[in-house]
Amino acid sequence: MHDLVISNIGLLATATGANAKAGSAQGGITAVENAWISVDGGFITEVGAGSCPSAAETFDAGGRLATPGLVDPHTHLVFGGWREHELAMKLRGVPYLDILAAGGGILSTVTKTRAASERELFDKAAAVLDRMLSLGVTTCEAKSGYGLNFEDELKLLRVVKKLDETQPVDLVSTFMGAHTIPPEYTGDREGYIRLIIEDMIPAAGSGGLAEFCDVFCETGAFTTEESLRILCAGKDAGLAPKCHSDEIDAIGATAMASSAGAVSCEHLIVCDAGGIEAMRKSGTIACCLPATSFYLDAGYAPARDMINAGVPVAFGSDFNPGSCPTNSLQLAMNIGCFKYRMTPEECLTAVTLNAAAAIRRSGSAGTLEPGKDADILIWDAPNIEYMCYRFGDNLVNSVFKKGIKVK
Ligand code: NIG
Ligand code: FE
C-alpha cells in the first residue's frame, strides 16, 4: 500500500535521467497516457499506465497533464523595496547601465535592502515564494547581492537559509557579493574585491550559507580579470562558480567563466560562437533568462545555436526588482518558444531537468521517475503544447512538494 497515488493523469510528460540534456536530447520528452504516480516517504516510487495500485491517499488528476515541479535556477529573491519608478525612465529610453551609473538601479535596491531587517526581508521573500509555488516552482535558487557589505550580504544568506528551513520550496543559495561596487568603495575597487575575497567568501563558505558563487561580469560591474579572481576564491572556499555573463556587453565573460569550470553561465544575450564553444568544452549549462530580454527590451540569447552546438539550455526567471520583476517560468516558456524558437518539449526540459542540473539538483529533482523527490504539478492543460500556447495566465492546477499537496 503506497502513501499516495496520483491517478487519472491524462498525460504525464517528463524528461528523464539525472543529467542535463543537450542537443536533440533536449527535446526528448517521455509521454505516458492514462498514467499514475505512486509516492512513498516523499519520493516517487512508481510511474505506470492503466489501472493504478491502492494507496492510503489517492488524488484524482481528472485527466489533466502532469509534469515535474518547475525549477528556477536564477533568482535575486531577497531584496528590500521595488523599483517601479524606473519604468518611466525605461520608457524614455534610458539604458540599464546608465540608470546604474547614476546611482539608481542595483544601488537603490542596496539602500533599501540594508535598511530592511532580517524579519522584513524574510516575510517579503516568503510571500514571493508562496506565489512562485502557485506558479509551479518547487525548487529555486536565490542569490545575495543587494547587501554589498559583510553584514548585509550575510544577512541575505541567512534569510535564504531560514526560508529553506521554513517553507515548502527547496532553496539553493548563491553568494553574489560581486553584483556591483558599493558607493563606499567608489574609487577603491580593489578594496571591495579584497573584502569579497578575504572576508565575505570565507564566511559564506565556512558558515554553510552558500553553495555557489556568482559574479556580474559586465561593463560597469566587474571585469573578466576581477571576476576570475572572485570565482577562484569561491572555489577555494567550496563555492561552485556561476557567472552573469554576456548580458549587455560582450567582454569575454562566458569564456572566462567556462575556463574556471562554471556550472552555469547566465543571461548570455550577446553570447557569440566562441562563448558557446567554451561552454560546450567545459560542460557548462547555458542558463538563459528570456523574460529579462523582454523586460530590458534587448536581444535574445542564441539558444537555438546553443542547442545545435550541444550545450544544454536551462531557463530561469531572473526575478529581481530591476531588470526582471516577474517570477513566472510559465512566461519564460512562452517567450522561449517565440523568441528562441525552441519547441515546447525543449522548453519543458529547460525549466525542469536542465534547470535542476544548473543548480546541481538533477539527482533529486527535474523529472518524474522513481527515486526522485515527488515534486509534481497537475496542470489545467491537456498537453505541453497547450502550456506554451496559452500565456499571461497561471495554468497550474495543483502542486505536490515531496508528496504533500501544497497548492
Ligand atoms: O540579473 N544583471 C545583474 N543583476 C540583475 C539585475 C539586478 C537589478 O537590476 O537589480 C540581473 O539582471
Ligand atoms: Fe540575474
Side-chain angles (χ1 to χ4, degrees):
M1 172 94 90
H2 296 290
D3 289 353
L4 168 72
V5 164
I6 301 178
S7 66
N8 195 16
I9 297 169
L11 185 74
L12 180 151
T14 183
T16 52
N19 297 112
K21 292 284 196 260
S24 58
Q26 170 128 17
I29 293 293
T30 295
V32 184
E33 284 177 21
N34 189 20
W36 53 264
I37 303 169
S38 66
V39 175
D40 294 283
F43 297 102
I44 295 172
T45 43
E46 270 183 90
V47 173
S51 62
C52 66
S54 57
E57 186 191 340
T58 301
F59 177 83
D60 183 339
R64 295 180 174 86
L65 172 71
T67 72
L70 306 185
V71 177
D72 193 336
H74 182 136
T75 81
H76 303 257
L77 176 69
V78 188
F79 55 84
W82 292 95
R83 305 223 296 271
E84 67 273 21
H85 59 278
E86 285 178 11
L87 179 61
M89 278 187 267
K90 282 172 192 279
L91 295 178
R92 284 200 307 275
V94 182
Y96 179 79
L97 291 180
D98 289 6
I99 298 175
L100 177 62
I106 294 171
L107 291 173
S108 70
T109 298
V110 168
T111 305
K112 291 190 182 122
T113 304
R114 287 178 178 177
S117 69
E118 225 164 295
R119 181 78 223 181
E120 287 165 339
L121 293 168
F122 174 91
D123 288 346
K124 181 174 175 202
V128 171
L129 282 170
D130 189 56
R131 294 179 80 97
M132 289 174 78
L133 196 60
S134 302
L135 289 162
V137 173
T138 48
T139 302
C140 174
E141 185 255 18
K143 303 175 195 295
S144 70
Y146 290 114
L148 306 189
N149 61 35
F150 185 88
E151 263 320 309
D152 288 300
E153 280 298 305
L154 290 190
K155 174 174 83 175
L156 297 181
L157 295 177
R158 282 195 303 271
V159 169
V160 174
K161 188 170 198 292
K162 201 157 158 212
L163 286 164
D164 185 42
E165 290 163 356
T166 52
Q167 54 74 55
V169 179
D170 274 324
L171 291 180
V172 175
S173 178
T174 297
F175 168 72
M176 196 174 167
H179 202 178
T180 192
I181 303 280
E184 313 82 88
Y185 282 90
T186 314
D188 182 19
R189 306 177 62 78
E190 185 55 26
Y192 186 60
I193 292 163
R194 286 184 60 177
L195 180 70
I196 291 175
I197 291 176
E198 293 169 14
D199 296 344
M200 294 186 193
I201 285 178
S206 66
L209 286 171
E211 190 175 328
F212 291 96
C213 177
D214 197 343
V215 46
F216 189 18
C217 184
E218 185 61 65
T219 308
F222 294 86
T223 68
T224 51
E225 292 77 15
E226 292 165 349
S227 300
L228 184 60
R229 283 170 61 201
I230 293 164
L231 293 181
C232 288
K235 281 204 285 189
D236 290 344
L239 307 182
K242 282 180 169 290
C243 187
H244 275 62
S245 68
D246 289 329
E247 179 176 1
I248 297 160
D249 289 333
I251 61 169
T254 302
M256 177 281 299
S258 299
S259 74
V263 175
S264 61
C265 282
E266 328 225 332
H267 281 291
L268 302 165
I269 291 174
V270 295
C271 184
D272 61 11
I276 294 175
E277 177 56 15
M279 288 191 286
R280 190 195 61 76
K281 271 209 211 124
S282 56
T284 298
I285 293 170
C287 183
C288 297
L289 307 169
T292 311
S293 286
F294 169 77
Y295 204 76
L296 290 177
D297 203 9
Y300 286 83
R304 173 58 51 205
D305 295 345
M306 293 167 184
I307 291 175
N308 290 344
V311 175
V313 171
F315 294 167
S317 69
D318 195 22
F319 172 66
N320 73 73
S323 65
C324 201
T326 181
N327 39 33
S328 175
L329 283 178
Q330 296 176 52
L331 178 62
M333 291 176 79
N334 296 129
I335 303 175
C337 282
F338 283 97
K339 295 297 185 178
Y340 295 159
R341 296 282 159 188
M342 284 169 59
T343 64
E345 289 81 5
E346 290 168 336
C347 290
L348 181 63
T349 300
V351 293
T352 54
L353 180 60
N354 284 4
I359 49 172
R360 300 202 301 197
R361 290 296 185 276
S362 51
S364 57
T367 71
L368 296 178
E369 292 176 288
K372 295 250 181 145
D373 289 352
D375 297 352
I376 303 161
L377 304 183
I378 306 299
W379 296 83
D380 282 323
N383 51 52
I384 58 178
E385 287 77 13
Y386 188 93
M387 281 165 67
C388 291
Y389 141 83
R390 292 283 306 278
F391 83 113
D393 197 356
N394 179 14
L395 298 182
V396 170
N397 173 281
S398 303
V399 180
F400 290 83
K401 178 66 191 174
K402 294 197 171 110
I404 310 279
K405 189 171 181 301
V406 286
K407 289 287 173 190

